[in-house]
Amino acid sequence: MTSNRSVPTLYDVAKTAGVSTATVSRCLNSPEQVVEHTRKRVLEVINQLGYTPNFGARAMAAKRTYTIGAVIPTMENAIFARGLQAFQEELRAGGYTLLVSSSAYDPQIEEEQIKALIARGADGLLLIGHDRTKTVSEFLRKQGTPALAAWSYEADAELPSIGFDNRRAMRSLTEEVLALGHTRIGVISGITDGNDRARRRVEGISDAVTAAGLDMAGVPVIETPYDIANGAEAFHNLMQADTPPTAVICGNDVLAAGALKAAGEMGIEVPRDVSVTGFDDIELAGILTPPLTTVHVPHREMGRRAARTLLAMVQKGITGQTVQLEAKVCLRGSLAGPKAD
Amino acid sequence: MTSNRSVPTLYDVAKTAGVSTATVSRCLNSPEQVVEHTRKRVLEVINQLGYTPNFGARAMAAKRTYTIGAVIPTMENAIFARGLQAFQEELRAGGYTLLVSSSAYDPQIEEEQIKALIARGADGLLLIGHDRTKTVSEFLRKQGTPALAAWSYEADAELPSIGFDNRRAMRSLTEEVLALGHTRIGVISGITDGNDRARRRVEGISDAVTAAGLDMAGVPVIETPYDIANGAEAFHNLMQADTPPTAVICGNDVLAAGALKAAGEMGIEVPRDVSVTGFDDIELAGILTPPLTTVHVPHREMGRRAARTLLAMVQKGITGQTVQLEAKVCLRGSLAGPKAD
DNA sequence: ATATGAAATGTAAGCCGTTGCATTAAGTTA
DNA sequence: TAACTTAATGCAACGGCTTACATTTCATAT
């Protein structure tokens, strides 16, 4: 059954090395069980033949793949990039491979991707946030694949999570804005449907606004997909109002970058004419002009801890502990008091 | 962890529906071969049981996975994000799933990731650029997995590629710079070792400089990993020289962003005191202050075409055609003539 | 009805590893 | 050296799916 033209199999290696397939398998998976002299010979043959284990077969036989999957809403902007990088580094240190796919913020696609990853044998899954359909949760439970939610802390959600309290963080930021005397606020939010982070952030704004004795009904909120161009457009619209806001709070840094861009184009000076804030503190935030006031998210720490937690879940079968990290307001040049008129 | 109720298999579905496993399999893979009435019943059972095909088994039996893998140098900055997004969209339209992993610009890790992806049954591979070891090329050939290189056009490279001529594009940009009268140029490049894009770009600069009758030996070139902070540091170093450059050409937009940032901190005004250019035209480039002169890369088109080409290679077994796309100089505010002194 | 070809379905042989258990070789002790 | 322990290796079942080939069913023509 040796084929000379196709990819070599365990069997080929075994035959060439004059041992059984079991021994070859052991050389690869638990080398300490094989005596040095045999092992050496087998490894030589493996090299010589350029053998690589067939993953499908291995996954099927061993029921584990040393693969962790992550489904993130987007790769387009850097929101998840840094955290994911740290996540991957940590996984790699633990001997695991990370496979990423993106859902374009579409729950339908997210579901597909989750299934694709599980079908491909992912031992564990990293997901973003908590908003997903019953079907998906059901599916995950049924498959018994450990999953962890990140970028969002939620005490009693379906999945254990590691993240920060988006609502509280945004509330703090908004309080800073209000403390400076702003009373006319505008909000540019990401699409909240199916995105608990975006929703919580708006709630946080609402909390602070209401607590300050203002009426949230008077605060214009524009929802738009996370994208610089959309942020710009929304900002433009907000500033067309008869009494435009003196502070524009954006759901994340990307939208805020768009707002700053639009401001530049409209000849509106930030923060003199209007203040702008973001959320996430991606690298971009620090190099914008003016530098963006935002909420700093501990991306790398979150990624690292997510990896550790998920690995523990996968390897020891323990239930993941939900962990809350601190996200701190980060004041920079884009926020100032309202213009005295 | 282990769940008491185990995942249903083809066999379970077959039994419940009262047909053979072959029929169930056909319902999934070639439904037209199954009579409507049977198909309907089977699909119902599938739903009811929540059956999902086991991927490993399927891959093993069918020798294809409808999965395309991509190994990119980094997810941290947006260089590959947009192109990859388009790539994924196109694949999805063709019924394929994209799995991405990142090598952190480390050839060692890249090799690992390529192997991981192939082992996991990827039907085809998207790689970035052409620099890789014999081992890897050998491995790819042996496995017979179609692979395509992107972000770099190279006529007679090992792999077919779809991309642009980094050298020529950078030469054009440099010519623009020189045409404005700059004679003191500084270069901030990415690490060229193992990165043909970075290397070609430096060559392009060299071409233009030499053609203009200047001596490349007099042009300081700093190599540093792609990262804003590194760009800033390099810029800082360049400007410390006795006769600092009047134009700093950066190997990509991320480095250029760092340069602009450093300039701001050093009180150097761009472009009055010094011009700065980038490469890639990532979204960031347009919102920096001043907007960055750069080379526009047709990210989305590249991604889309890469997908089409790779799919053709995978499905029809044809050899991929190398395609060159146009990357055009994109003049913006960060470039001007040298200060008259 | 009956023959006939096409359509639908079933049977079972792989695909390539892992691993529990059996067997053999090596090492130790009295 | 025999008896016994332990280490090293082999045997073969198993995992879930696809698909070539065999068989049955059905519709149509005679």
Side-chain angles (χ1 to χ4, degrees), chain A residues 248-273:
Chain A
V248 173
I249 298 179
C250 301
N252 77 7
D253 289 351
V254 174
L255 291 174
L260 288 184
K261 182 185 183 199
E265 287 162 4
M266 296 170 74
I268 298 177
E269 194 179 311
V270 177
R272 194 198 58 188
D273 303 327

Side-chain angles (χ1 to χ4, degrees), chain A residues 156-213:
Chain A
D156 15 59
E158 177 106 15
L159 296 177
S161 59
I162 177 155
F164 46 93
D165 185 330
N166 283 280
R167 180 171 184 163
R168 197 158 57 91
M170 188 55 117
R171 175 176 182 156
S172 300
L173 174 62
T174 308
E175 285 168 353
E176 294 281 352
V177 173
L178 297 175
L180 287 169
H182 290 279
T183 54
R184 296 206 311 274
I185 308 290
V187 175
I188 306 178
S189 165
I191 304 290
T192 54
D193 188 36
N195 182 338
D196 55 334
R197 287 90 61 212
R199 202 166 51 245
R200 293 272 178 263
R201 290 176 192 180
V202 175
E203 289 170 1
I205 298 173
S206 179
D207 290 347
V209 165
T210 308

Side-chain angles (χ1 to χ4, degrees), chain A residues 253 256-257 260 270-271 274-279 281-295 330-336, chain B residues 260-261 264-265 287-289:
Chain A
D253 289 351
L260 288 184
V270 177
V274 61
S275 288
V276 172
T277 67
F279 198 117
D281 197 22
I282 59 179
E283 199 161 23
L284 171 64
I287 60 171
L288 290 171
T289 315
L292 193 62
T293 287
T294 186
V295 174
C330 177
L331 298 171
R332 298 210 187 90
S334 71
L335 174 63
Chain B
L260 287 184
K261 182 184 182 196
E265 288 162 3
I287 60 172
L288 290 171
T289 313

Side-chain angles (χ1 to χ4, degrees), chain A residues 122-126 140 144-148 159 310 313-315 317-318, chain B residues 1:
Chain A
D123 292 338
L125 238 44
L126 181 75
L140 284 172
T145 305
L148 180 66
L159 296 177
L310 193 51
M313 292 167 71
V314 167
Q315 295 174 330
I318 64 180
Chain B
M1 207 38 263

